[in-house]
Amino acid sequence: MLYALAHFFSIKFFGYITVRVGIAFFLSLGLSLFLMPRYIRWAIAKKANQPINKYVPAHEGKKHTPTMGGAVFVVSAIIATLIAGNLVNLYLIGGLITIIGFGLVGFKDDLGKVLSGNNLEGLTPKGKFLLQIAVSLIVVGLLFVMNFSTHFYIPFLKTPLFDMSYMSIPFWVMVFLATTNAVNLTDGLDGLATVPSAISLATLGFIIYATGHLELSRYLLIPHISGVGEVTILIGAFVGALLGFLWYNCYPAEIFMGDTGSLAAGGFIAYLAILGKSEVLLILIGLVFVVETISVILQVGSYKLRGQRIFLMAPIHHHFELKKWAENKIIVRFWMVAFLANVLALITLKLR
């Protein structure tokens, strides 16, 4: 809307991406802060509570905490983007499709859990997996329609290693699946997934902006992709909405994001990593999510192969809970790890 008005009335101020990022950020932050308490009251009245897994330690007190808060911050981010973004930009449209698509998969899963009152209900693992693949293929298909570059980059090199061509399809789908499920696994403590997601999005936002900026991409020796910078409007909106959600999600949480939020956030992070040619760098950008996922893989693999567990419980944040770490101490330390990992990721941009 603002972009169209800027062109129609020749208002240069609203034509700048940085200005519209700021507008989208504060719009979504305000919407999230406004809508979240109203949703919380409605969810409590409707008993839309988070069913707690009986195997999770010491979380009995959270069984009355409402869930699906992710729906509120997703809607807030979308509304702010519709106001501030250039809606004819296909990269921006792809981002919206990603957030809405994965958010709907998570919403369906959350709804099943809430209605059944059982955290193990909802979508079956196979059904959830297939729906995630379907959304991933839609987004990847859109990238191919746009003739998006299929070159494969790694940190520290300014030129691509090779052209993945059609092999980019399974590779990008794998990036989507790995990232969405990694963020989903991390969402187990109050604010644990929220802040690392916001930090990762901020880092990727800088990379996306630099990728879409001719001079900045030349200076940093990263690939230039014309038009991709418009996606930073959606990034700003999503980060603002997440911060509004964090106001109520920080310890002790009044609301959980549920799979609706974690899958939407994970899918969007994956989409940005693909746009910014940062699929490999995503390992560092999303280090907390990677560690959480690896802890589950190691735990399951060790138990199947040796009949022994490596951790007291996986994902690893539950291990620290059973080690008697205070919940807020675990959360803040994980936030610190996420921040430091993202600082290192940004440093690599100039080491080429």
Side-chain angles (χ1 to χ4, degrees):
M1 183 186 297
L2 289 177
Y3 183 83
L5 288 173
H7 276 261
F8 187 79
F9 293 106
S10 299
I11 306 172
K12 289 186 178 180
F13 181 73
F14 291 127
Y16 295 115
I17 287 177
T18 48
V19 170
R20 289 184 288 118
V21 168
I23 291 171
F25 173 85
F26 284 108
L27 271 175
S28 62
L29 173 63
L31 277 170
S32 190
L33 287 171
F34 176 78
L35 294 173
M36 203 65 68
R38 288 158 177 78
Y39 171 77
I40 292 171
R41 288 196 293 270
W42 177 85
I44 291 173
K46 296 297 182 181
K47 293 183 169 37
N49 302 329
Q50 173 70 54
I52 303 298
N53 191 325
K54 63 182 179 179
Y55 300 108
V56 172
H59 285 182
E60 185 65 23
K62 299 185 179 184
K63 66 180 181 181
H64 298 299
T65 305
T67 189
M68 290 192 286
V72 178
F73 68 70
V74 165
V75 168
S76 299
I78 291 170
I79 291 172
T81 303
L82 293 177
I83 293 171
N86 174 12
L87 300 180
V88 299
N89 183 288
L90 289 179
Y91 293 115
L92 183 63
I93 297 299
L96 289 169
I97 291 171
T98 301
I99 292 170
I100 294 169
F102 283 105
L104 287 174
V105 174
F107 183 80
K108 184 172 177 59
D109 192 31
D110 283 335
L111 193 61
K113 292 174 183 177
V114 169
L115 292 176
S116 67
N118 187 342
N119 194 62
L120 299 178
E121 294 294 333
L123 286 171
T124 63
K126 182 180 178 181
K128 188 175 180 180
F129 187 71
L130 289 174
L131 285 174
Q132 287 175 296
I133 290 176
V135 176
S136 302
L137 286 172
I138 290 170
V139 179
V140 170
L142 178 62
L143 291 176
F144 264 83
V145 168
M146 293 188 289
N147 292 316
F148 184 72
S149 169
T150 55
H151 287 107
F152 180 73
Y153 287 80
I154 62 172
F156 308 116
L157 293 182
K158 61 184 178 182
T159 56
L161 281 184
F162 52 84
D163 187 350
M164 295 184 291
S165 188
Y166 287 103
M167 287 305 297
S168 60
I169 295 175
F171 175 67
W172 288 340
V173 168
M174 183 188 71
V175 171
F176 275 115
L177 294 177
T179 311
T180 51
N181 288 294
V183 176
N184 188 227
L185 284 172
T186 306
D187 183 32
L189 298 178
D190 301 349
L192 184 60
T194 307
V195 171
S197 293
I199 293 172
S200 298
L201 287 169
T203 298
L204 287 163
F206 175 79
I207 293 172
I208 293 296
Y209 180 76
T211 300
H213 194 286
L214 181 60
E215 307 241 341
L216 196 51
S217 61
R218 282 178 180 171
Y219 173 72
L220 293 173
L221 301 176
I222 59 177
H224 171 65
I225 303 173
S226 179
V228 78
E230 188 67 24
V231 182
T232 54
I233 309 299
L234 181 53
I235 298 170
F238 205 97
V239 172
L242 276 176
L243 291 182
F245 170 71
L246 181 64
W247 188 266
Y248 300 96
N249 179 239
C250 61
Y251 181 84
E254 300 173 58
I255 182 78
F256 297 137
M257 68 167 66
D259 284 14
T260 308
S262 62
L263 293 186
F268 190 38
I269 289 170
Y271 178 70
L272 297 177
I274 292 167
L275 288 191
K277 296 299 176 184
S278 301
E279 299 97 336
V280 176
L281 190 60
L282 184 58
I283 295 171
L284 190 55
I285 293 170
L287 184 62
V288 166
F289 308 132
V290 172
V291 170
E292 292 272 30
T293 304
I294 290 175
S295 71
V296 173
I297 294 170
L298 290 175
Q299 184 86 325
V300 173
S302 177
Y303 188 75
K304 286 188 174 181
L305 293 174
R306 304 186 302 138
Q308 295 181 345
R309 293 180 174 87
I310 299 173
F311 306 103
L312 296 176
M313 189 174 183
I316 198 170
H317 59 261
H318 291 317
H319 169 82
F320 291 119
E321 280 191 287
L322 293 174
K323 295 282 283 186
K324 304 303 180 185
W325 285 24
E327 181 175 346
N328 55 347
K329 180 175 285 190
I330 299 169
I331 294 163
V332 173
R333 286 179 174 175
F334 274 51
W335 289 356
M336 292 170 66
V337 170
F339 176 76
L340 293 172
N342 277 264
V343 170
L344 290 174
L346 288 171
I347 289 172
T348 67
L349 293 180
K350 194 54 185 166
L351 300 177
R352 292 172 182 262

